[in-house]
Amino acid sequence: MKLLDVEIEENVKIANDIFLLSFESEYLAENFKPGNFVNILIDKESIYPLLRRPFSISFVEGKRVYIGYKVVGKGTKLLSQKSKGEVIDILGPLGNSFLTDTFDGKVAVIGGGVGIFPLLVLCKELKNRGNKVDVFLGFRDLNSMFLVEGFKDICDNTLIATDDGSRGYKGSVVELFKANVSNEEYKVVFCCGPKPMLKAIKNLNLPVKCYASLEEKMACGIGACLCCSIKGKDDKMYHVCSDGPVFDIMEVEIE
């Protein structure tokens, strides 16, 4: 983990309110693992936003690091207005990884909304390890879709769900996964997305391990401020930033 001043290479809109930001950092490119995130201080010259914002690392090409995000408030709105050449302050890599164990055989990866971003590099690493990968991606509609071609280039099967049926299966990505899971023998499942999606996956009571990357409001990013505390089994408390963000989905409460 390091504090880094990085110069923005690109900050482009790729779907409705969805942006992809990139910068060069040899340190991050060499040291991050799938599932890690960074904390960004969006404006060093202003008191607002006061706190850093957490963003998952989506993928890396050489020394260039790519981070995806959605504009949902003032902080991300300010970030979307940053241009090539501007400098941002980054702390990372932070958190744990999806890949703490080795998994043989076929795996399923489920993503919804901006939770899709950290899954691209996960799928790539799983394929590099020899796994067969089916990815299930959920979007609101056709205009909200992003990175689909990247997943198609990597994964064995890429299945799409949209809420309005404008592309692929009409309905939720969990429904799409449920319709296919009975025909497959997955060894493990990985997922990231909004809490209703994760809760629905947990309620499936899958017979295999399922690892979920959780999203919570964060401040410090290193487990000191308790802002991102969640409850686990037997009332044990976890910090999403330092104990996670990746957890066995059956070991934590998802509210």
Side-chain angles (χ1 to χ4, degrees), residues 103-174:
F103 309 98
D104 295 322
K106 196 168 190 176
V107 303
V109 178
I110 311 169
V114 290
I116 288 168
F117 278 115
L119 302 180
L120 187 61
V121 71
L122 168 64
C123 291
K124 184 175 182 179
E125 181 60 27
L126 287 167
K127 288 299 297 179
N128 288 342
R129 294 184 180 196
N131 296 102
K132 291 185 176 180
V133 181
D134 287 353
V135 65
F136 300 80
L137 305 176
F139 302 95
R140 181 169 294 176
D141 52 39
L142 179 63
N143 294 325
S144 300
M145 292 174 56
F146 55 91
L147 298 186
V148 172
E149 293 305 315
F151 283 100
K152 286 182 177 180
D153 289 343
I154 294 169
C155 301
D156 295 276
N157 294 290
T158 301
L159 296 90
I160 306 295
T162 52
D163 293 344
D164 65 355
S166 53
R167 177 66 61 88
Y169 177 86
K170 183 178 181 179
S172 77
V173 70
V174 181

Side-chain angles (χ1 to χ4, degrees), residues 78-105:
L78 287 172
L79 184 59
S80 73
Q81 295 167 352
K82 296 286 185 180
S83 302
K84 176 179 173 63
E86 291 191 65
V87 175
I88 50 176
D89 179 313
I90 287 183
L91 176 66
L94 301 169
N96 63 356
S97 172
F98 282 108
L99 299 176
T100 56
D101 295 309
T102 300
F103 309 98
D104 295 322

Side-chain angles (χ1 to χ4, degrees), residues 32-85:
F32 96 100
K33 296 177 181 179
N36 287 166
F37 67 96
V38 296
N39 251 10
I40 297 180
L41 183 60
I42 295 172
D43 192 343
K44 295 176 68 173
E45 305 303 320
S46 172
I47 194 171
Y48 185 87
L50 179 63
L51 301 176
R52 293 176 179 270
R53 299 293 195 271
F55 299 94
S56 61
I57 297 172
S58 184
F59 60 98
V60 167
E61 293 179 346
K63 294 188 295 183
R64 185 174 290 196
V65 180
Y66 290 82
I67 291 171
Y69 64 96
K70 181 177 182 178
V71 176
V72 294
K74 292 181 179 180
T76 45
K77 180 67 174 178
L78 287 172
L79 184 59
S80 73
Q81 295 167 352
K82 296 286 185 180
S83 302
K84 176 179 173 63

Side-chain angles (χ1 to χ4, degrees), residues 5-12 20-26 61-67 79 82-88 90:
D5 284 336
V6 299
E7 186 175 296
I8 294 172
E9 293 289 339
E10 195 174 38
N11 189 21
V12 295
L20 189 65
L21 179 148
S22 68
F23 55 86
E24 288 198 355
S25 170
E26 186 173 359
E61 293 179 346
K63 294 188 295 183
R64 185 174 290 196
V65 180
Y66 290 82
I67 291 171
L79 184 59
K82 296 286 185 180
S83 302
K84 176 179 173 63
E86 291 191 65
V87 175
I88 50 176
I90 287 183

